């Protein structure tokens, strides 16, 4: 078992082109599309901060500079708000501003897959465990998904991935894990299979886009041959790492919205809007009317 070191850093791979949301993402990064009134990436960063993450590492690409600007002070806006005594707005922006020196940005110059994006963060992560959060996926639950993973990591050490259950007949669409002995709020992983053939999946637990990984993944990814889609696949690297290190699964029991897909993005907006006391009274009725009008 690897030494249990504190998980201080989180990697956010935000270099994707967002082609499923064209034409909007021709000019606006998909991570900056808003769910109610916050960009998708803000929900994911909030989840990381709740889990105790101290350093945010963004793996970006061309046309993603607006993400870096978002996590900085906008001088003209700040000055205007102060001149107009907009205290609530000033406090809101100050609350989401990371502390100085706690964000880093690096480029993934070519779209070579998630494994390659993670490898691009190697020098910023260094020789310590790190969290990896896919920025398309936003979670809603009593406890943040990554917070639960960090709690499990305190028991298990090694590597941790978050999983959820799907219908068994849908398992061929996902990365699936095999179920071993229980540990904390999860279980030991016996195997990992990316999109198994129908009827061959070891379980119906699929990986949902949250990881805690040891730094030994980096040299594996550096040597990793391209896999599906002619890309460097993270799952292939994790399978290799599992030959030497333990993997545990945290069973997340909340809701996950894939905001990289139109249906998930729309459902996320509805779900988070209905949680807001300032919005629900004005949208609940019209939503019910729209649903009743469906034929």
């Amino acid at each position: 078992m690897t030494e249990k070191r504190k998980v201080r850093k989180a990697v956010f791979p935000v270099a994707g082109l967002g082609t499923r949301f064209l034409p909007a993402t021709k000019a606006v990064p998909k991570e900056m599309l808003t769910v109610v009134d916050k960009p998708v990436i803000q929900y994911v960063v909030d989840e990381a901060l709740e889990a105790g993450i101290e350093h945010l590492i963004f793996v970006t690409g061309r046309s993603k500079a607006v993400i870096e600007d978002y996590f900085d002070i906008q001088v003209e806006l700040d000055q205007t708000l102060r001149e107009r005594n907009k205290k609530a707005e000033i406090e809101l922006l100050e609350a989401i501003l990371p502390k100085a020196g706690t964000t880093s940005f690096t480029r993934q110059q070519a779209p070579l897959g998630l494994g390659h994006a993670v490898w691009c963060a190697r020098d910023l992560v260094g020789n310590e465990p790190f969290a990896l959060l896919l920025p398309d996926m936003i979670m809603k639950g009593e406890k943040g998904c990554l917070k639960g993973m960090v709690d499990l990591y305190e028991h298990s050490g090694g590597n941790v991935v978050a999983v959820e259950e799907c219908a068994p007949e849908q398992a061929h669409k996902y990365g699936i894990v095999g179920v071993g002995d229980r540990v904390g709020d999860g279980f030991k992983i016996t195997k990992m299979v990316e999109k198994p053939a129908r009827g061959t999946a070891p379980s119906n637990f699929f990986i949902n886009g949250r990881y805690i990984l040891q730094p030994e993944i980096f040299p594996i990814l550096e040597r990793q041959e391209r896999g599906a889609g002619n890309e460097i696949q993270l799952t292939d690297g994790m399978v290799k790492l599992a030959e030497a290190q333990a993997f545990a699964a945290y069973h997340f029991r909340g809701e996950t919205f894939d905001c990289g897909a139109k249906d998930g993005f729309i459902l996320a907006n509805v779900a988070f809007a209905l949680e807001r006391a300032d919005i629900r009274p004005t949208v609940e009725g019209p939503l019910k009317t729209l649903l009743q009008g469906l034929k």
Side-chain angles (χ1 to χ4, degrees):
M1 182 177 291
T2 55
E3 176 189 357
K4 282 189 290 185
R5 292 167 289 175
K6 179 178 172 60
V7 181
R8 303 186 311 110
K9 298 179 180 180
V11 174
F12 305 86
V14 294
L17 297 176
T19 53
R20 288 185 290 178
F21 271 93
L22 287 171
T25 48
K26 179 182 178 182
V28 179
K30 62 178 180 176
E31 298 83 7
M32 294 302 295
L33 298 176
T34 55
V35 170
V36 188
D37 54 4
K38 291 196 302 186
V40 170
I41 190 62
Q42 183 67 61
Y43 288 89
V44 184
V45 166
D46 288 345
E47 180 186 335
L49 295 175
E50 178 199 6
I53 294 298
E54 301 169 5
H55 193 145
L56 312 172
I57 300 169
F58 298 87
V59 181
T60 71
R62 288 179 293 278
S63 78
K64 297 295 181 112
V66 66
I67 297 176
E68 188 168 351
D69 291 339
Y70 175 78
F71 289 104
D72 197 357
I73 296 174
Q74 218 282 7
V75 176
E76 293 81 2
L77 175 61
D78 184 72
Q79 181 178 340
T80 299
L81 292 176
R82 293 184 186 281
E83 290 174 350
R84 297 177 181 178
N85 200 30
K86 298 285 188 177
K87 294 183 179 180
E89 289 81 358
I90 292 170
E91 291 175 359
L92 172 65
L93 294 179
E94 288 178 343
I96 65 173
L97 186 68
K99 294 180 181 178
T102 62
T103 56
S104 297
F105 297 83
T106 189
R107 281 286 184 97
Q108 182 188 24
Q109 285 87 353
L112 297 178
L114 176 59
H116 182 259
V118 173
W119 178 77
C120 288
R122 65 199 181 282
D123 288 336
L124 292 171
V125 171
N127 189 33
E128 58 182 289
F130 65 99
L132 170 65
L133 299 92
L134 301 193
D136 291 342
M137 315 301 289
I138 61 176
M139 308 341 198
K140 187 162 75 72
E142 291 185 7
K143 178 166 67 173
C145 183
L146 187 61
K147 178 63 168 66
M149 294 173 67
V150 169
D151 291 344
L152 175 58
Y153 174 78
E154 293 300 318
H155 289 279
S156 66
N159 305 270
V160 179
V161 298
V163 299
E164 297 179 43
E165 292 183 83
C166 66
E169 62 272 16
Q170 300 295 314
H172 66 283
K173 298 180 179 179
Y174 303 102
I176 301 293
V177 302
V179 180
D181 296 337
R182 291 205 61 80
V183 53
D185 286 333
F187 53 85
K188 295 179 180 179
I189 291 176
T190 58
K191 65 188 305 184
M192 288 178 279
V193 184
E194 184 66 28
K195 296 183 179 179
R198 288 178 182 270
T200 67
S203 76
N204 65 326
F205 284 97
F206 69 94
I207 300 172
N208 72 1
R210 298 290 187 268
Y211 313 78
I212 293 174
L213 298 171
Q214 295 295 326
E216 287 78 15
I217 192 70
F218 293 123
I220 293 174
L221 294 173
E222 185 170 13
R223 299 187 300 267
Q224 186 73 47
E225 295 181 359
R226 297 191 189 191
N230 198 33
E231 296 179 339
I232 298 173
Q233 297 293 336
L234 178 64
T235 302
D236 294 341
M238 291 195 301
V239 169
K240 185 69 175 176
L241 182 60
E243 296 175 4
Q245 294 184 1
F247 273 76
Y250 169 70
H251 185 187
F252 178 62
R253 292 176 171 84
E255 294 179 85
T256 298
F257 301 94
D258 180 1
C259 291
K262 296 181 181 71
D263 54 350
F265 179 73
I266 293 168
L267 290 172
N269 270 279
V270 173
F272 281 91
L274 291 176
E275 273 199 338
R276 292 270 297 267
D278 59 330
I279 297 177
R280 180 167 183 158
T282 59
V283 301
E284 185 174 15
L287 280 174
K288 289 180 179 179
T289 300
L290 285 172
L291 291 173
Q292 290 169 356
L294 295 177
K295 296 182 181 179

